[in-house]
Amino acid sequence: MSDLRKSGEDYLEAILFIEEEKGIVKSVDIATYLGVSKPSVNKALTILQEMGYVSKPNYSQVTITQEGRKKAKAVAQKHSALTRLLTDVLGVSEEVAEKDACKIEHDISEETTQKLIAFLQKRD
């Protein structure tokens, strides 16, 4: 995901999560979820829209594109695997694991991600 900055990945992951929870995504929901201002959300969404990851058919509603969904799911998969590694294997608390996974997910390689997922699947 070298074409996205860390914050862009966070936005896509948040949009995907909100969509799964509520069905529709509004800018205010993204701001609340990420703990950022509405102007920050609008700026990020403009960039994501220019990159082809989201569309904004009206002022407040956000739709994730197929390419955006693909990237968001990849970030979410890394996040989930890292959280599981930290909690289930290393015994880190859920709260700390969530924060650390969010930091790590942006920097690990695809190879490491796939090895981590395979390792966790063997444990099941």
Side-chain angles (χ1 to χ4, degrees):
M1 295 198 190
S2 57
D3 60 335
L4 276 180
R5 295 176 55 189
K6 293 177 183 184
S7 62
E9 291 179 349
D10 288 340
Y11 275 92
L12 287 177
E13 189 177 20
I15 292 165
L16 183 66
F17 178 79
I18 294 165
E19 180 186 72
E20 290 172 353
E21 290 292 311
K22 295 186 173 190
I24 60 169
V25 181
K26 295 186 177 184
S27 298
V28 68
D29 296 326
I30 299 167
T32 301
Y33 183 86
L34 293 174
V36 297
S37 69
K38 286 187 256 182
S40 293
V41 171
N42 288 331
K43 182 178 178 182
L45 290 176
T46 298
I47 293 167
L48 291 172
Q49 187 169 6
E50 289 170 359
M51 296 175 80
Y53 296 132
V54 300
S55 64
K56 294 178 358 181
N58 65 45
Y59 183 71
S60 66
Q61 189 173 340
V62 179
T63 305
I64 194 166
T65 65
Q66 184 176 352
E67 187 64 24
R69 183 175 311 283
K70 181 180 169 183
K71 292 210 177 262
K73 285 184 176 186
V75 174
Q77 182 181 36
K78 282 183 183 183
H79 185 105
S80 177
L82 287 163
T83 301
R84 189 166 161 221
L85 173 74
L86 294 170
T87 56
D88 296 359
V89 177
L90 301 179
V92 175
S93 72
E94 186 72 31
E95 182 180 332
V96 171
E98 281 293 328
K99 289 178 184 176
D100 288 347
C102 193
K103 294 174 189 172
I104 298 167
E105 71 192 16
H106 304 293
D107 295 320
I108 66 169
S109 69
E110 186 59 30
E111 179 183 356
T112 301
T113 300
Q114 293 308 313
K115 297 285 186 182
L116 173 58
I117 291 168
F119 170 79
L120 292 171
Q121 288 174 342
K122 286 179 186 176
R123 288 179 47 95
D124 289 341

